[in-house]
Amino acid sequence: MIQEFSVSNFRSIKEKQTISFVPNKRIANSSDEFLLVQVNENTSLLKFGVLYGYNASGKSNIIRAFSTLRYLVLNGSDKKSPIDEYDPFLLDDESSGKPSVFDLVFYVDGIKYSYHLEITNQAVEKEVLCGYPNGHKTTYFSRSFNEDSGVSKVSFSRECGFSSPDKLIITGNTLNNITVLYAYQKTNVSFDVFDLVIGFFDGYVMPEITPSIDLLDWGTRKISSDRSNVSFYESILKKADFQISNVEVKEDTVPVTEEMMSFFSESGMPEDMQEKIREERTIRTRNLVFGHKTSSGKMFFLSDANESNGTQRYFGLGAVLKELIDNNHFICIDELETSLHPELVLFFITMFLMNSDNSQMFITTHVQQLMDADFMRADMLWFCEKNDNGCSEYYQLQDFGLHKNIRVVNYYRAGRLGAFPDLDSPLIRKEETLHNG
């Protein structure tokens, strides 16, 4: 599970900003059994966090920063090329060229780890992985970059158990523009801690979900791969009052025409896939349909294209919810409310909290009703706004010390918590539309 994530000099974030899942011990909630997870005998962490802020305040950038860190651990270039993921703060004359800095503190099997990464356009400037087995800090490796020589130096602790040839192999694979953890994945060398950490980024941490991501196909594939999943989707759709009784995936085979093959080729389909289609001369299609029962008792099936955007989005989020319930994951969802009614957003979060075990979710949203939800703790609620220099700053509700009986949403709407748009008069005067001559 994740304890905290920090980033500096990335997009609209200049100074170090931190999102934490560490619970405030002075805060208690009647729903804490669903909100907290005991990761070991000394540590518990929050399962949920929500971030509010006006448009262009930087809400999405903290999620992008986390996704960038995940990407750099799991991916990299095989060539000596620039690091495209480097995206520094640009509203001053100093930040461009300085490293973007990422820090993550997390737990795997009850053991605490910390990972530090600094990147510029040209190189990984610094990289450190530490663990705390038995409460004592162990630095498994540290990596630094010498700008004068253009060479990275990597040092491994003796706990890694690497032989001199092992170290040479990993170091040799560690190009200046990739992480040590990515380079390690390209070798035949093995160390259980590295495998656990990489597995954490690859398995526990899911890719971010943005408003533009189409989740419909994911849910369709879930049902196609295991028909027992149907009852889950039917259940959550009924609970959400979509007036849907049945969900089916109808599969069919379609003969392939020359026009279709031309389209596959032009769209960049891999040659091996094209060859397989040519041999089979058919392709298999999957069509998702939803059953609606009328008052007469008759069932009518509609294709997913005939359903509302909200139905499609919620069904897709159902696939996310099932994954979070069946397996432990961390996920970031940007603007969860996309195409959804505010009450449905609240219901979705409640289902996640009540039915998941060691999963975590961090979302951005504009749904204000969530602020006053009975289960919301002051340490789960975050705000974001830009200062006068255009830098995004993130802070928690608990920083204000409000009484627990205060309606948070009223304070927010009154602008007393910040992160609220400062709107001008809606009247557009004629002189405001004229260009200066």
Side-chain angles (χ1 to χ4, degrees):
M1 296 187 72
I2 291 175
Q3 176 175 305
E4 65 180 34
F5 171 66
S6 302
V7 60
S8 63
N9 195 29
F10 180 84
R11 296 181 67 86
S12 65
I13 302 169
K14 181 181 179 181
E15 304 299 333
K16 182 179 179 180
Q17 302 294 316
T18 300
I19 296 294
S20 173
F21 289 88
V22 176
N24 186 331
K25 295 181 180 180
R26 293 175 295 177
I27 296 176
N29 187 296
S30 59
S31 302
D32 278 350
E33 63 176 301
F34 304 115
L35 306 177
L36 300 172
V37 174
Q38 197 76 29
V39 295
N40 60 35
E41 60 181 344
N42 300 313
T43 306
S44 61
L45 296 174
L46 293 165
K47 292 171 60 176
F48 181 68
V50 56
L51 175 63
Y52 286 90
Y54 48 81
N55 292 121
S57 60
K59 299 189 305 298
S60 300
N61 287 340
I62 196 75
I63 291 179
R64 289 185 184 180
F66 188 85
S67 294
T68 296
L69 178 64
R70 178 183 184 272
Y71 179 86
L72 291 170
V73 169
L74 300 177
N75 301 274
S77 174
D78 295 328
K79 301 178 181 179
K80 296 180 179 179
S81 57
I83 301 177
D84 294 334
E85 291 69 33
Y86 176 64
D87 198 357
F89 183 78
L90 296 176
L91 298 184
D92 63 22
D93 297 324
E94 306 162 357
S95 299
S96 181
K98 289 187 175 180
S100 293
V101 183
F102 308 87
D103 283 283
L104 185 68
V105 181
F106 57 100
Y107 285 80
V108 181
D109 296 336
I111 297 176
K112 179 180 175 181
Y113 296 90
S114 64
Y115 181 61
H116 177 89
L117 183 67
E118 300 182 19
I119 64 168
T120 62
N121 181 248
Q122 298 300 319
V124 174
E125 297 276 338
K126 189 175 182 180
E127 185 181 4
V128 183
L129 175 66
C130 298
Y132 300 80
N134 303 316
H136 301 294
K137 180 178 179 180
T138 298
T139 301
Y140 292 110
F141 78 81
S142 62
R143 178 251 195 98
S144 59
F145 178 71
N146 188 310
E147 292 187 10
D148 294 331
S149 64
V151 175
S152 293
K153 180 182 178 181
V154 184
S155 300
F156 298 97
S157 70
R158 60 185 177 186
E159 284 81 3
C160 296
F162 294 146
S163 65
S164 295
D166 291 342
K167 295 177 183 178
L168 286 174
I169 292 172
I170 299 174
T171 304
N173 283 335
T174 306
L175 302 179
N176 290 340
N177 59 345
I178 65 174
T179 62
V180 172
L181 290 179
Y182 176 66
Y184 167 81
Q185 296 170 68
K186 298 165 62 180
T187 71
N188 290 323
V189 179
S190 180
F191 177 45
D192 57 352
V193 170
F194 287 12
D195 293 334
L196 284 173
V197 169
I198 292 167
F200 172 85
F201 279 98
D202 190 30
Y204 183 74
V205 180
M206 295 176 67
E208 69 170 301
I209 294 177
T210 66
S212 61
I213 289 180
D214 183 3
L215 298 172
L216 202 61
D217 186 58
W218 190 12
T220 303
R221 285 187 282 110
K222 282 276 190 181
I223 293 178
S224 296
S225 63
D226 186 353
R227 295 288 175 170
S228 66
N229 290 328
V230 170
S231 60
F232 174 84
Y233 290 100
E234 291 178 343
S235 174
I236 64 170
L237 289 171
K238 289 176 184 177
K239 289 176 181 292
D241 195 27
F242 278 100
Q243 299 180 346
I244 292 174
S245 303
N246 295 78
V247 179
E248 292 185 15
V249 174
K250 296 184 177 180
E251 298 185 357
D252 196 5
T253 55
V254 178
V256 177
T257 64
E258 286 301 320
E259 290 78 10
M260 293 171 67
M261 290 306 307
S262 297
F263 173 78
F264 295 150
S265 178
E266 293 171 2
S267 63
M269 178 182 286
E271 281 294 333
D272 58 339
M273 291 183 63
Q274 292 186 50
E275 187 60 33
K276 183 178 180 181
I277 292 174
R278 286 193 189 94
E279 292 176 359
E280 297 180 352
R281 297 185 180 182
T282 60
I283 57 173
R284 179 171 294 181
T285 62
R286 289 191 297 250
N287 297 306
L288 178 66
V289 295
F290 297 91
H292 297 260
K293 183 178 289 186
T294 64
S295 58
S296 66
K298 188 174 181 179
M299 183 77 73
F300 294 87
F301 285 93
L302 302 179
S303 70
D304 55 59
N306 289 325
E307 298 290 349
S308 70
N309 290 338
T311 301
Q312 295 179 33
R313 184 69 174 177
Y314 196 76
F315 174 82
L317 284 171
V320 177
L321 179 64
K322 185 162 182 29
E323 189 65 29
L324 294 172
I325 293 173
D326 291 349
N327 305 287
N328 296 323
H329 292 288
F330 172 84
I331 193 164
C332 292
I333 305 179
D334 195 12
E335 296 190 8
L336 174 61
E337 72 273 18
T338 301
S339 298
L340 300 180
H341 189 282
E343 290 298 328
L344 199 52
V345 172
L346 183 59
F347 187 65
F348 179 84
I349 295 168
T350 304
M351 283 198 297
F352 159 72
L353 291 171
M354 294 187 68
N355 295 281
S356 63
D357 293 323
N358 294 357
S359 287
Q360 292 174 291
M361 182 190 297
F362 184 76
I363 71 166
T364 71
T365 187
H366 297 288
V367 175
Q368 298 176 19
Q369 291 96 318
L370 181 57
M371 294 181 181
D372 283 334
D374 291 339
F375 61 78
M376 280 302 299
R377 293 168 49 114
D379 49 6
M380 297 193 307
L381 215 166
W382 292 80
F383 300 96
C384 172
E385 63 181 6
K386 285 182 178 177
N387 62 23
D388 293 339
N389 295 316
C391 309
S392 295
E393 298 178 335
Y394 304 81
Y395 52 96
Q396 288 176 285
L397 176 63
Q398 66 175 339
D399 298 338
F400 293 88
L402 300 181
H403 191 276
K404 63 180 181 179
N405 293 329
I406 292 291
R407 284 205 67 198
V408 178
V409 70
N410 289 342
Y411 264 60
Y412 180 67
R413 289 172 179 167
R416 299 176 67 176
L417 302 178
F420 196 82
D422 183 14
L423 305 178
D424 204 341
S425 169
L427 177 64
I428 301 176
R429 296 178 175 84
K430 186 179 295 185
E431 58 268 25
E432 293 177 335
T433 65
L434 299 177
H435 295 286
N436 293 326

